[in-house]
């Protein structure tokens, strides 16, 4: 592998990884804080639904007037793209913990905080992980488009391949993004199954 | 308090005993409800009594039960346990001293049997060794071999086993009051009968005050020292099983105990073990 390829791959991974970290750090606590409050929850889920239908490229281009070109607008756009699946899955995850289980926890004298940290969040975790996994695949794919606004990464090969009519270069960009997305999905799939398994009988 | 390794009594012979529970004009009205779910209930449950709240679905049994551990706050009236008003106490602190068993079991699926059983002792900050000893003691009490069951997850238990673990969990910190909300409604008739024998035995051994909710007349007659019949948020009769069968307070109670009252009365005369 050439040094040039490794640099592009690295930039792609850094951009996607940073976007996911920021989205998870914002989205998971936000959804957790809103889940039992009807009004904020409604607003949050409506926003998530709204962002979900906006095409990636539109989000990317809309950030240019505010942040110009480069890494920062690309990061912001990818965070916006990663948030909906994380918000929605965290919400679903927390709400799917049976009421009876939470009631039992309260009835035994856990504080609300203990109910959250010892029972509700651990039980919600596998489904939260599904949201992060979905967001990861979307972000890795969409980070390709970041090249159009100067965000760098593997998308650079596609942009320049298109401009110069260099088909092998374009193919290199497209194929490596696809492989990266598949690998990340598989790795997170394993993690997620581990989490789910820790709740199932066979883990002892 | 120290725990012994005795299988029968967690106190090593001394009974944990039961508390006296007094309800005084207790009423609950849920927000936006057209009428109260529980209305003006006066009820004294003497120390060590097995009291059964009996009545049709929706009559307010669970609501009344849940006022005792403050999962529901009464809109009127007061509740005292051993003379102390529970409203004055910290709710989580109060609940750690009251056992609670529900129909859906509510075992934590991510915890092992041992972790489930030891929730309250760990909340109370017991030392690890004492917790472990207590877990084994409780599993033996509900007749599950500790070596085989300690490390299982709830999904590896049958319905009856899970419900017994739920009972063990509720009894872990030697509560003086045990609240049970239709605990055996979800298991089949044969398992239910053996769970009923089990809880009757535990009650005899520990002398805990038990408040038990059911809509099943036969279950109430089988277990209760005192039956508290409820209808539409009110207590309509309180009495021993025999009294309720022989002298129903009104047409509602007569209909509830039904045409089989005579058969049921005869069944009561046989000792529990045979039934
Ligand atoms: N959390 C709640 N909010 C509003 N109404 C409730 C709530 N819980 C119970 N109710 C209502 O209160 C009444 C009594 O319910 P409940 O105590 O559960 O009866 P039971 O246990 O005898 O079936 C019912 O009409 C029920 O719909
Ligand atoms: Mg009920």
């Amino acid at each position: 592998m050439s040094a040039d390829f490794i640099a592009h791959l690295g930039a792609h991974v850094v951009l996607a990884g940073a976007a996911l970290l920021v989205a998870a750090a914002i989205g998971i606590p936000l959804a957790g804080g809103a889940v039992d409050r009807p009004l904020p929850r409604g607003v949050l889920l409506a926003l998530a639904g709204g962002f979900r239908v906006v095409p990636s490229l539109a989000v990317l281009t809309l950030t240019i007037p505010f942040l110009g070109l480069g890494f920062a607008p690309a990061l912001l756009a990818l965070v916006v793209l990663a948030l909906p699946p994380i918000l929605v899955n965290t919400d679903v995850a927390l709400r799917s913990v049976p009421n009876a289980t939470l009631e039992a926890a309260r009835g035994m004298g856990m504080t609300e905080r203990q109910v959250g940290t010892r029972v509700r969040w651990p039980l919600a975790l596998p489904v939260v992980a599904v949201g992060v996994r979905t967001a990861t695949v979307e972000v890795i794919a969409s980070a390709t488009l970041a090249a159009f606004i100067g965000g760098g990464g593997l998308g650079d090969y596609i942009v320049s391949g298109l401009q110069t009519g260099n088909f092998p270069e374009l193919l290199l960009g497209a194929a490596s993004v696809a492989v990266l997305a598949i690998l990340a999905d598989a790795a997170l799939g394993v993690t997620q199954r581990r989490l789910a398994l820790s709740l199932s009988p066979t883990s002892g | 308090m120290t725990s012994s390794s005795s299988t029968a009594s967690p106190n090593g012979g001394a009974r944990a005993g039961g508390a006296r529970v007094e309800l005084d004009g207790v009423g609950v009205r849920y927000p936006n409800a057209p009428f109260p779910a529980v209305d003006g209930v006066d009820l004294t449950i003497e120390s060590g009594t097995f009291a059964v709240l009996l009545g049709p679905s929706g009559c307010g049994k669970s609501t009344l039960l849940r006022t005792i551990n403050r999962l529901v706050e009464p809109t009127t009236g007061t509740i005292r346990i051993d003379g102390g008003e529970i409203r004055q106490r910290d709710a989580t602190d109060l609940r750690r001293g009251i056992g609670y068993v529900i129909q859906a079991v509510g075992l934590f699926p991510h915890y092992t049997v041992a972790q489930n059983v030891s929730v309250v002792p760990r909340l109370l900050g017991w030392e690890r060794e004492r917790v472990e000893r207590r877990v084994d003691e409780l599993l033996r009490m509900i007749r599950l071999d500790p070596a085989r069951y300690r490390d299982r997850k709830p999904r590896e238990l049958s319905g009856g086993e899970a419900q017994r673990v739920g009972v063990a969990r509720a009894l872990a910190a030697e509560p003086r009051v045990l609240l049970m909300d239709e605990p055996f409604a979800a298991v089949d008739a044969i398992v239910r009968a053996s769970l009923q024998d089990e809880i009757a035995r535990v009650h005899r051994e520990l002398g805990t005050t038990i408040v038990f909710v059911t809509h099943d007349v036969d279950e109430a007659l089988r277990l209760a020292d005192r039956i508290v019949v409820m209808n539409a948020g009110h207590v309509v009769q309180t009495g021993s099983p025999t009294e309720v069968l022989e002298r129903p307070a009104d047409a509602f109670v007569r209909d509830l105990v039904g045409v089989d009252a005579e058969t049921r009365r005869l069944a009561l005369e046989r000792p529990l073990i045979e039934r």
Side-chain angles (χ1 to χ4, degrees):
Chain A
M1 269 191 282
S2 73
D4 179 66
F5 178 78
I6 289 170
H8 278 90
L9 178 65
H12 202 97
V13 169
V14 167
L15 180 60
L20 282 166
L21 278 180
V22 173
I26 297 171
I28 295 175
L30 206 57
V35 67
D36 295 324
R37 301 182 176 94
L39 192 66
R41 172 171 183 266
V43 172
L44 202 65
L45 291 183
L47 280 177
F51 279 127
R52 186 168 270 187
V53 298
V54 181
S56 318
L57 196 55
V59 177
L60 284 163
T61 3
L62 283 173
T63 53
I64 297 176
F66 305 100
L67 293 168
L69 295 173
F71 184 83
L75 180 68
L76 178 70
L78 292 178
V79 168
V80 168
L81 288 170
L83 274 173
I86 291 177
L87 288 173
V88 171
N89 274 278
T90 304
D91 182 76
V92 169
L94 290 168
R95 286 173 83 87
S96 66
V97 178
N99 233 328
T101 310
L102 301 177
E103 275 290 301
R106 288 189 193 106
M108 277 186 292
M110 288 192 192
T111 62
E112 278 311 304
R113 192 189 178 82
Q114 287 165 333
V115 173
T117 57
R118 298 186 187 195
V119 179
R120 201 175 187 190
W121 280 101
L123 289 177
L125 218 53
V127 179
V128 175
V130 173
V132 174
R133 186 179 170 190
T134 309
T136 303
V137 177
E138 279 180 25
V139 163
I140 289 175
S142 299
T144 315
L145 299 171
F148 287 98
I149 61 166
L154 294 167
D156 280 352
Y157 292 121
I158 298 176
V159 173
S160 87
L162 281 173
Q163 279 164 355
T164 60
N166 183 342
F167 185 72
E169 190 182 9
L170 195 151
L171 195 65
L172 171 70
S176 48
V177 169
V179 170
L180 188 62
I182 290 168
L183 287 180
D185 186 55
L188 286 170
V190 171
T191 314
Q192 180 200 324
R193 264 191 299 281
R194 285 242 173 90
L195 282 175
L197 215 61
S198 72
L199 300 178
S200 81
T202 41
S203 70
Chain B
M1 252 190 291
T2 53
S3 301
S4 80
S5 57
S6 144
T7 52
S9 165
N11 259 351
R15 286 153 68 104
R20 177 181 156 108
V21 180
E22 294 163 281
L23 287 78
D24 213 337
V26 169
V28 176
R29 190 178 199 131
Y30 288 110
N32 303 320
F35 43 80
V38 167
D39 200 8
V41 169
D42 296 312
L43 181 66
T44 298
I45 302 166
E46 295 298 339
S47 168
T49 301
F50 199 132
V52 174
L53 308 183
L54 173 67
S57 171
C59 73
K61 306 179 296 292
S62 297
T63 301
L64 186 62
L65 187 79
R66 288 149 51 87
T67 60
I68 299 172
N69 63 3
R70 290 187 57 190
L71 283 174
V72 171
E73 293 289 356
T75 30
T76 62
T78 52
I79 299 172
R80 284 181 297 276
I81 295 183
D82 278 337
E85 259 197 55
I86 62 171
R87 203 173 12 211
Q88 310 294 335
R89 304 202 30 206
D90 174 64
T92 55
D93 190 51
L94 172 80
R95 290 174 194 150
R96 287 172 193 179
I98 297 178
Y100 186 46
V101 185
I102 55 178
Q103 175 185 340
V105 192
L107 289 184
F108 303 133
H110 58 312
Y111 281 3
T112 63
V113 165
Q115 287 169 331
N116 266 290
V117 168
S118 60
V119 165
V120 179
R122 285 184 288 134
L123 284 172
L124 292 170
W126 288 17
E127 275 166 28
R128 175 194 285 268
E129 234 172 73
R130 183 175 172 210
V131 170
E132 280 171 12
R133 238 180 313 137
R134 183 67 178 141
V135 166
D136 287 359
E137 190 175 276
L138 284 157
L139 291 181
R140 280 195 293 271
M141 184 179 79
I142 55 160
R143 308 194 181 188
L144 294 178
D145 177 11
R148 280 181 58 206
Y149 284 90
R150 203 189 288 119
D151 298 323
R152 289 201 191 176
K153 287 280 175 73
R155 279 178 216 189
E156 298 169 277
L157 303 174
S158 71
E161 287 167 348
Q163 201 50 268
R164 278 146 81 191
V165 173
V167 170
R169 181 174 69 172
L171 291 170
E174 307 184 332
R176 287 165 51 75
V177 181
L178 177 59
L179 309 179
M180 308 184 82
D181 196 346
E182 311 224 18
F184 309 144
V187 295
D188 64 63
I190 294 171
V191 175
R192 188 180 316 136
S194 88
L195 287 168
Q196 288 167 348
D197 286 344
E198 205 84 14
I199 195 65
R201 181 177 58 80
V202 167
H203 177 245
R204 273 197 310 275
E205 282 170 10
L206 303 180
T208 314
T209 302
I210 298 182
V211 189
F212 186 109
V213 164
T214 186
H215 63 263
D216 176 345
V217 179
D218 292 302
E219 184 167 65
L221 293 170
R222 197 157 191 239
L223 293 172
D225 297 324
R226 289 191 82 67
I227 295 182
V228 179
V229 186
M230 290 185 69
N231 184 26
H234 296 270
V235 169
V236 290
Q237 184 170 7
T238 308
S240 69
T242 316
E243 281 165 356
V244 171
L245 280 176
E246 291 182 348
R247 292 186 296 280
D250 60 11
F252 171 81
V253 182
R254 195 174 313 118
D255 284 350
L256 187 72
V257 297
V259 286
D260 297 331
E262 180 59 16
T263 334
R264 284 172 165 150
R265 199 186 58 73
L266 290 173
L268 271 184
E269 287 167 3
R270 276 182 286 143
L272 187 70
I273 308 304
E274 282 179 33
R275 275 190 260 141

